[in-house]
């Protein structure tokens, strides 16, 4: 996984413009004030808070009831109190009524558990899990309850009413009874709605947000491979597990597994969050990382020991350790960043919200765990965690957006570079093509010069030598014959320059026009069996000239040596090859005197056929001789190979 680059210095803000994290700080202060206002330690108008009760142990009837102050936490009491407890609540004198039938009263139980039932004047009016099997895991303490007091059970004199709340405790779950309120139903209903939103609906909202945040971070980590997103995903998913277990009235897990997973998820949430903040600050700080890994690695062992001993004080110590580690890590990062002078807006924002969340956590630890003065009905950590999740979502969205913009910028830069290189390659290709055309022209010029030298030039030189040697005894017929031969050579060269595009039938038809008169003069019949065949790439201008030379050589041998009366030219093809054959009905290649004369011509044929990319085969035509060219259909011939063909 890649680390983050060094943190850039805090950007300067324009004069008169307030940084956005200042507004966030003011908003967080306003939230703290709102939390204090909502967490009212006194009952609303029309209700009375009951803070005292008489507690008795039904399993020890000989023990007299004891007055207790609420909250009364069974984990903090001797072992005798760890089972069932009966709380008797006196009717408050300030709450009175005239006609019970016209009175709608209710009890508001912000926190009670883990199993309980409510009795009014000896009659059960409400219960949660009281009659469930002992092995079932009932957790009622996470939910607020509004219990209506039936008018038919109320006494005419309010002071004659008795209220009993019986509780079955569960070790390590801080079972017991918290301060409750009694009063008019309408007033307490509003308070119950606030608690329902805060404790239950707010928890579900945090759960969904945390789950989405974890999945999104995990997806971004898979795409960007940046460790920051992985740490955020682990913290958010751990928090999701804790919240999912918190809003379950009857988890499918046994209580031991529930306790272990619930507290371990919160421990890992804190540990991975500290690693996330350290990564965001780009500090490879040993202290913060050590504290985080201490929580992640040592937490499972400590919680297992707590579960084994069934001593809540061990978890209370661990909860304090979580708060202390978070406070130390954030303060240390703040001091270290201040020394470096390297803050950016996102880092300041995260530190502010993290401090706010830490403050809410410390408040809940003091009030809920250590029973400090304050209203424990509402957990401030809920709002703190939600604010932290939204803040981290914002930061990660900023990071992902920045990464996307950087990718877009790099793509634009790459596109410009590619376009520039493409233009350079196009220019180089044009130059190369022009050079190739010039080279082809030069090669064609050399070929023409070679053909003119070897063919037409040779004939003209022979004619000139004959004229000089004979002087006044010049044989006009011989001169005419040699000039005609020179003209034939010239026509042959011109024919090879005609664009015939590898069409073998057209090429052979052109050659036929040149050779047929000579065959007729020699008394040889031409049997023409040429049909259309696939185009041959090797028969360009140079290849045509090579084929003409080969055919010249073959027909010259037929006229001079074969003593044939008939010659046949035939073409055919299959899927892979084109076949061109020339056969005569002459004497064949059996005479020894003809072999030496023909040997040079046959060598020329083989060389030129090789340059055409064709296979040359001689066979006995019975009678006569056969010559066959076998051209591969899909083979192309390079110009360099044709340039090296031997002179004809």
């Amino acid at each position: 996984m890649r680390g983050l680059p060094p943190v850039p210095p805090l950007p300067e803000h324009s004069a008169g413009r307030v940084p956005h994290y200042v507004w966030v700080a003011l908003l967080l202060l306003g939230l703290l004030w709102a939390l204090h206002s909502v967490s009212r330690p006194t009952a609303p108008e029309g209700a009375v808070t009951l803070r005292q009760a008489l507690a008795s142990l039904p399993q020890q009837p000989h023990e007299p009831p004891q007055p207790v102050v609420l909250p009364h936490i069974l984990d903090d009491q001797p072992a005798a109190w760890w089972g069932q407890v009966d709380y008797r609540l006196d009717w408050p004198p300030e709450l009175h009524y005239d006609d019970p039938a016209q009175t709608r009263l209710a009890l508001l139980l912000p926190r009670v558990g883990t199993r309980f039932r409510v009795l009014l004047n000896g009659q059960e009016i409400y219960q949660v899990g009281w009659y469930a099997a002992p092995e079932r895991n009932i957790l009622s303490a996470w939910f607020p309850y509004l219990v209506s007091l039936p008018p038919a059970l109320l006494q005419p004199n309010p002071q004659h009413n008795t209220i009993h709340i019986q509780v079955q405790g569960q070790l390590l779950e801080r079972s017991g009874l918290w301060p409750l309120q009694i009063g008019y139903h309408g007033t307490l209903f509003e308070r119950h709605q606030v608690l329902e939103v805060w404790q239950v609906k707010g928890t579900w909202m945090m759960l969904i947000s945390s789950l989405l945040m974890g999945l999104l971070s995990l997806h971004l980590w898979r795409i960007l491979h940046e460790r920051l997103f992985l740490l955020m995903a682990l913290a958010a998913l751990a928090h999701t597990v804790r919240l999912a277990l918190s809003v379950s009235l009857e988890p499918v897990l046994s209580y031991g597994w529930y306790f272990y997973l619930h507290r371990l998820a919160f421990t890992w949430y804190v540990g991975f969050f500290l690693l996330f903040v350290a990564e965001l600050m780009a500090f490879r700080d040993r202290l913060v990382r050590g504290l985080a890994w201490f929580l992640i690695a040592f937490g499972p062992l400590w919680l297992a020991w707590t579960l084994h001993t069934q001593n809540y004080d061990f978890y209370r110590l661990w909860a304090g350790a979580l708060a202390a580690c978070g406070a130390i890590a954030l303060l240390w990062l703040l001091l270290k960043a201040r020394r470096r002078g390297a803050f950016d807006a996102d880092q300041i924002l995260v530190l502010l919200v993290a401090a706010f969340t830490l403050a809410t956590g410390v408040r809940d630890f003091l009030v809920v765990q250590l029973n400090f003065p304050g209203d424990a009905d509402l957990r401030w950590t809920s709002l703190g965690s939600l604010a932290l999740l939204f803040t981290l979502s914002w930061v990660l969205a900023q990071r992902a957006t920045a990464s996307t913009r950087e990718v877009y910028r790099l793509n634009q830069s790459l596109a410009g570079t590619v376009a520039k290189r493409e233009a350079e390659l196009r220019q180089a290709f044009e130059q190369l093509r022009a050079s190739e055309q010039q080279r082809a022209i030069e090669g064609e010029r050399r070929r023409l010069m070679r053909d003119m030298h070897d063919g037409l030039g040779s004939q003209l030189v022979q004619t000139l030598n004959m004229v000089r040697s004979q002087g006044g005894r010049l044989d006009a017929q011989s001169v005419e014959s040699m000039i005609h031969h020179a003209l034939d050579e010239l026509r042959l060269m011109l024919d090879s320059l005609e664009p015939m595009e590898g069409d073998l039938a057209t090429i052979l038809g052109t050659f036929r026009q040149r050779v047929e008169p000579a065959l007729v003069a020699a008394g040889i019949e031409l049997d023409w069996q040429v049909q259309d065949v696939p185009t041959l790439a090797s028969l360009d201008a140079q290849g045509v000239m090579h084929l003409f030379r080969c055919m010249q050589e073959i027909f010259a041998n037929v006229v001079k040596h074969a003593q044939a009366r008939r010659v046949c030219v035939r073409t055919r093809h299959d899927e892979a090859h084109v076949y061109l054959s020339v056969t005569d009905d002459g004497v064949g290649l059996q005479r020894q005197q003809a072999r030496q004369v023909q040997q040079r011509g046959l060598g020329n044929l083989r060389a030129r056929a090789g340059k055409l990319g064709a296979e040359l085969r001689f066979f006995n035509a019975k009678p006569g001789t056969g010559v066959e060219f076998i051209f591969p259909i899909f083979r192309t011939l390079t110009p360099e190979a044709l340039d090296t063909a031997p002179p004809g």
Side-chain angles (χ1 to χ4, degrees):
M1 294 180 289
R2 298 195 305 267
L4 294 174
V7 180
L10 181 65
E12 296 183 1
H13 297 275
S14 58
R17 183 178 179 182
V18 180
H20 68 271
Y21 50 80
V22 175
W23 295 110
V24 171
L26 295 176
L27 176 62
L28 295 178
L29 291 176
L31 287 176
L32 288 176
W33 177 84
L35 285 172
H36 176 71
S37 300
V38 173
S39 304
R40 292 172 294 188
T42 58
E45 185 178 356
V48 179
T49 300
L50 303 180
R51 301 182 182 277
Q52 293 183 347
L54 283 176
S56 60
L57 302 176
Q59 63 271 27
Q60 297 182 10
H62 59 280
E63 293 290 337
Q66 298 183 16
V68 296
V69 177
L70 305 181
H72 185 249
I73 311 301
L74 302 185
D75 287 277
D76 297 335
Q77 305 302 320
W81 294 83
W82 292 353
Q84 180 178 328
V85 181
D86 186 348
Y87 296 97
R88 177 184 172 183
L89 303 167
D90 293 332
W91 192 271
E94 57 265 45
L95 182 65
H96 54 83
Y97 52 83
D98 297 327
D99 184 3
Q102 302 298 323
T103 303
R104 292 194 62 195
L105 300 176
L107 281 175
L108 177 61
L109 304 167
R111 183 177 175 89
V112 59
T114 55
R115 308 173 186 221
F116 70 94
R117 67 173 181 165
V118 181
L119 295 89
L120 175 61
N121 296 324
Q123 298 291 321
E124 181 182 299
I125 60 175
Y126 195 85
Q127 65 88 23
V128 174
W130 186 260
Y131 303 105
E135 63 272 10
R136 289 172 59 183
N137 186 16
I138 306 296
L139 300 171
S140 62
W142 289 97
F143 305 90
Y145 299 95
L146 183 64
V147 181
S148 298
L149 301 181
L153 297 180
L154 293 175
Q155 298 290 338
N157 185 350
Q159 300 303 318
H160 293 167
N161 292 313
T162 60
I163 299 174
H164 287 261
I165 300 178
Q166 296 178 350
V167 173
Q168 294 180 14
Q170 171 66 59
L171 280 177
L172 302 181
E173 199 56 36
R174 290 185 63 77
S175 305
L177 183 64
W178 271 253
L180 64 152
Q181 296 170 356
I182 183 172
Y184 290 101
H185 188 279
T187 300
L188 293 180
F189 177 79
E190 295 179 0
R191 177 64 174 174
H192 177 265
Q193 290 297 102
V194 173
L195 295 177
E196 182 77 17
V197 170
W198 207 266
Q199 295 178 204
V200 181
K201 296 180 181 179
T203 303
W204 276 108
M205 182 178 178
M206 284 192 299
L207 187 154
I208 295 173
S209 301
S210 182
L211 178 61
L212 293 177
M213 187 64 200
L215 296 177
L216 177 61
S217 300
L218 195 62
H219 177 67
L220 292 175
W221 171 71
R222 291 183 60 188
I223 295 175
L224 302 176
H225 300 287
E226 188 173 326
R227 181 165 46 193
L228 185 71
F229 294 98
L230 177 61
L231 294 175
M232 184 63 238
L234 294 175
L237 293 177
H239 195 45
T240 302
V241 173
R242 174 183 180 270
L243 295 173
L245 294 174
S246 298
V247 291
S248 178
L249 176 63
E250 188 175 353
V252 296
L253 303 172
S254 65
Y255 180 76
W257 280 110
Y258 164 82
F259 173 85
Y260 189 75
L261 292 179
H262 183 266
R263 273 66 174 186
L264 181 62
F266 184 68
T267 298
W268 282 357
Y269 163 65
V270 175
F272 286 121
F273 169 71
L274 292 180
L275 291 176
F276 171 85
V277 175
E279 188 76 15
L280 179 68
M281 300 293 291
F283 293 158
R284 301 287 182 176
D285 189 84
R286 292 184 178 179
L287 176 61
V288 176
R289 293 171 63 86
L291 289 174
W293 285 112
F294 165 76
L295 297 178
I296 294 171
F298 191 68
L301 301 177
W302 186 274
L303 293 174
W305 177 253
T306 301
L307 186 62
H308 174 72
T309 60
Q310 297 284 297
N311 189 339
Y312 191 80
D313 287 336
F314 286 121
Y315 181 71
R316 185 180 283 115
L317 289 174
W318 186 250
L322 291 175
C325 288
I328 293 172
L330 291 180
L331 288 175
W332 180 255
L333 289 175
L334 181 63
L335 293 175
K336 191 170 183 178
R338 183 178 180 83
R339 288 198 300 268
R340 287 181 52 179
F343 285 104
D344 65 15
D346 286 343
Q347 294 170 346
I348 295 177
L349 181 63
V350 170
L351 287 176
L352 283 174
V353 179
F356 170 77
T357 305
L358 178 64
T360 61
V362 171
R363 179 265 177 192
D364 284 350
F365 172 73
L366 295 176
V367 173
V368 177
Q369 302 292 343
L370 301 183
N371 299 326
F372 272 51
D375 185 7
D377 299 347
L378 300 181
R379 303 298 180 91
W380 290 18
T381 311
S382 300
L383 183 60
S385 298
L386 190 61
L388 183 61
L389 280 176
F390 283 137
T391 302
L392 297 181
S393 301
W394 165 261
V395 171
L396 292 183
Q398 291 289 95
R399 288 295 180 105
T401 302
S403 298
T404 303
R405 289 176 178 171
E406 180 65 14
V407 170
Y408 177 77
R409 186 189 67 80
L410 292 176
N411 285 339
Q412 292 295 102
S413 176
L414 180 60
T417 303
V418 170
K420 181 179 178 181
R421 295 293 183 266
E422 185 179 357
E424 294 175 353
L425 288 174
R426 188 180 296 110
Q427 181 180 3
F429 176 75
E430 293 297 333
Q431 294 175 352
L432 181 61
R433 183 168 64 177
S435 175
E436 183 66 22
Q437 289 176 349
Q438 183 64 30
R439 192 188 67 81
I441 293 173
E442 186 65 24
E444 188 67 13
R445 184 182 66 82
R446 289 197 304 269
R447 184 185 69 83
L448 288 174
M449 290 178 62
R450 184 174 63 246
D451 288 342
M452 291 178 67
H453 175 270
D454 296 339
L456 180 60
S458 177
Q459 290 295 326
L460 293 177
V461 169
Q462 291 178 17
T463 303
L464 180 60
N465 289 336
M466 185 182 70
V467 171
R468 287 177 177 174
S469 63
Q470 292 184 0
R473 303 184 305 276
L474 186 64
D475 184 358
Q477 185 176 1
S478 299
V479 173
E480 181 182 359
S481 175
M482 297 187 72
I483 291 175
H484 276 296
H485 191 66
L487 288 174
D488 288 340
E489 287 290 332
L490 179 60
R491 293 189 185 102
L492 199 63
M493 283 189 293
L494 294 176
D495 288 340
S496 69
L497 297 177
E498 291 292 330
M500 291 178 276
E501 300 178 350
D503 187 351
L504 183 58
T506 301
I507 295 169
L508 293 176
T510 301
F511 179 77
R512 178 181 181 180
Q513 295 176 5
R514 304 301 177 193
V515 75
E516 192 167 20
L519 294 176
V520 172
I524 300 175
E525 178 189 355
L526 179 60
D527 182 8
W528 194 259
Q529 299 183 22
V530 174
Q531 58 181 345
D532 289 335
V533 294
T535 301
L536 298 175
S538 61
L539 295 181
D540 55 4
Q542 299 181 54
V544 169
M545 194 62 194
H546 281 298
L547 184 60
F548 281 172
R549 294 295 188 194
C550 290
M551 298 298 286
Q552 269 187 322
E553 187 70 31
I554 293 171
F555 278 91
N557 286 335
V558 171
V559 172
K560 294 179 180 180
H561 307 293
Q563 302 177 17
R565 307 308 302 170
R566 183 174 175 274
V567 63
C568 177
V569 179
R570 177 182 302 157
T571 59
R572 61 186 178 89
H573 70 92
D574 56 24
E575 292 183 357
H577 298 90
V578 169
Y579 303 90
L580 166 62
S581 64
V582 180
T583 58
D584 63 69
D585 58 355
V587 298
L589 298 176
Q590 302 302 320
R591 295 185 178 181
Q592 294 294 330
Q593 63 271 21
R595 288 196 178 186
Q596 294 180 354
V597 176
Q598 294 173 345
Q599 190 66 35
R600 290 190 300 273
L602 297 181
N604 251 350
L605 285 177
R606 296 184 191 278
R608 288 189 181 276
K611 300 309 176 184
L612 282 170
E615 179 184 351
L616 185 64
R617 185 172 71 90
F618 295 93
F619 60 92
N620 189 351
K622 297 181 181 180
T625 304
V627 182
E628 185 175 50
F629 296 86
I630 304 174
F631 297 91
I633 292 178
F634 300 107
R635 178 174 176 180
T636 59
L637 190 65
T638 60
E640 291 79 358
L642 293 176
D643 286 342
T644 60

